[in-house]
Amino acid sequence: MAGILYLCATPIGNLQDMTPRVVETLRTVDLIAAEDTRNSIKLLNHFDIHTPMTSYHEYNKVEKAERFIVQLQAGKNIALITDAGTPAISDPGEVLVRMCHENKVPVTSLPGAAACITALSLSGLSSRRFCFEGFLPAEKKERRAVLEELSAELRTMILYEAPHHLTGTLEELYQHLGNRKITLCRELTKKFETIMPMDLERALAFYKEKEPKGEYVLVIEGKSRKALRQEEIAAWEAMDIEEHMDYYERQGMDSKTAMKQVAKDRGVGKREIYAYLHGGGQQ
């Protein structure tokens, strides 16, 4: 029988958040795959865990995953841990999990801390619908494209950022999203945990004066449906009504249907469009 891959969540700061189930699993598996063995050895030593450990990170994720699959198929049990939090969330572990599914190797998750969910619960912003972006791409073109997508996002957004990039990222967010509400969460679960609800304008001014320290999770308000609708109407109003009608008629709509759609696009009544068109452009 094949072994099992255990996805073991580890503390994001406070070691007391380690679950007994994870401790027991790390003690009993055949191998622990860790993102950074130098960091993880401290965790294992703290809990008196002596299981063999090997590295599994962004630069060996495919090669090592192939080796792990062979070991798992031979009946070995492997635990995957990340530097902090839940494996496979914004993490190379997703590659290993996918390959396990492809090779019919059982995978199970031992839940625990996740910085994104911890920050969301502390943010005071809407948590009914949210999206997790992780770290923004480093490549400029891709980064700009992602920021453009986020500018129209209706859900609450969650991002990660390192202290030395924080001010630049806040500037980009302000440029693309406008002055949204934001909660900055730093050093979560640690001694100097700080939760700062404010807006992007104030956050940018604050960190231009104060050097950012610690790892950050940014929780940002989504665009309101009202604001999105106003932008849509403004875009249509930039077009003449005759051009707007022509846009739909060229798609095969009859005049009556096109008039109804134009009125809907512009947020006005159909009679208003009719009066404009049949009044020689006078409203």
Side-chain angles (χ1 to χ4, degrees):
M1 292 179 63
I4 299 174
L5 175 68
Y6 294 90
L7 306 178
C8 295
T10 54
I12 58 176
N14 193 319
L15 292 180
Q16 293 184 56
D17 293 334
M18 187 84 150
T19 69
R21 185 180 173 209
V22 169
V23 172
E24 180 61 23
T25 299
L26 293 179
R27 284 177 177 158
T28 56
V29 293
D30 298 291
L31 180 68
I32 297 171
E35 185 176 8
D36 186 336
T37 56
R38 295 167 300 180
N39 180 67
S40 295
I41 193 64
K42 301 172 187 176
L43 180 74
L44 300 189
N45 287 340
H46 180 83
F47 289 99
D48 196 28
I49 297 168
H50 305 286
T51 305
M53 181 169 54
T54 186
S55 65
Y56 181 73
H57 48 69
E58 183 65 29
Y59 302 103
N60 67 4
K61 61 185 178 183
V62 176
E63 174 195 351
K64 271 291 184 72
E66 291 171 347
R67 295 188 202 173
F68 293 153
I69 293 297
V70 173
Q71 292 173 286
L72 288 159
Q73 289 176 327
K76 299 289 186 182
N77 292 318
I78 298 177
L80 178 66
I81 60 176
T82 185
D83 279 350
T86 301
I89 302 297
S90 192
D91 175 81
E94 64 180 341
V95 174
L96 178 56
V97 173
R98 182 172 64 249
M99 290 177 66
C100 282
H101 291 321
E102 291 170 350
N103 289 276
K104 306 294 190 261
V105 171
V107 181
T108 190
S109 177
L110 281 60
C116 53
I117 299 302
T118 303
L120 178 64
S121 67
L122 289 167
S123 70
L125 297 174
S126 174
S127 59
R128 189 178 70 84
R129 299 175 68 239
F130 62 91
C131 65
F132 173 62
E133 190 61 39
F135 287 95
L136 290 172
E139 198 275 319
K140 289 184 179 180
K141 186 176 181 181
E142 185 182 359
R143 188 182 184 91
R144 189 162 52 248
V146 169
L147 285 165
E148 284 299 322
E149 291 172 3
L150 293 178
S151 69
E153 178 59 65
L154 298 175
R155 297 169 294 179
T156 300
M157 297 162 278
I158 307 171
L159 280 70
Y160 290 161
E161 194 50 276
H164 54 288
H165 291 310
L166 180 67
T167 304
T169 295
L170 290 173
E171 287 179 344
E172 290 177 296
L173 289 169
Y174 183 73
Q175 290 168 7
H176 286 83
L177 277 62
N179 193 26
R180 304 277 188 91
K181 291 180 181 178
I182 182 173
T183 300
L184 297 97
C185 305
R186 61 178 291 273
E187 297 295 277
L188 286 169
T189 75
K190 299 179 184 178
K191 181 178 180 180
F192 297 106
E193 175 181 277
T194 308
I195 311 301
M196 301 172 61
M198 52 179 69
D199 58 37
L200 276 167
E201 189 172 10
R202 285 176 57 207
L204 191 52
F206 180 85
Y207 281 109
K208 282 184 175 179
E209 298 294 327
K210 184 177 177 65
E211 181 184 2
K213 293 181 180 180
E215 300 299 316
Y216 285 80
V217 184
L218 311 179
V219 187
I220 308 159
E221 177 186 42
K223 181 186 285 289
S224 70
R225 293 188 185 278
K226 181 178 179 181
L228 185 62
R229 178 61 178 145
Q230 288 172 339
E231 288 182 5
E232 290 173 349
I233 291 174
W236 285 117
E237 287 179 341
M239 181 185 294
D240 291 340
I241 290 179
E242 291 85 355
E243 292 176 330
H244 200 163
M245 285 287 295
D246 185 57
Y247 170 78
Y248 286 119
E249 288 173 344
R250 281 189 280 108
Q251 295 181 37
M253 283 188 186
D254 59 66
S255 180
K256 184 177 180 180
T257 305
M259 196 179 303
K260 183 177 180 181
Q261 186 60 49
V262 168
K264 182 179 179 181
D265 290 345
R266 302 171 90 91
V268 299
K270 188 173 66 174
R271 288 183 178 181
E272 190 171 331
I273 302 301
Y274 180 90
Y276 177 89
L277 294 171
H278 293 275
Q282 299 296 319
Q283 294 194 59

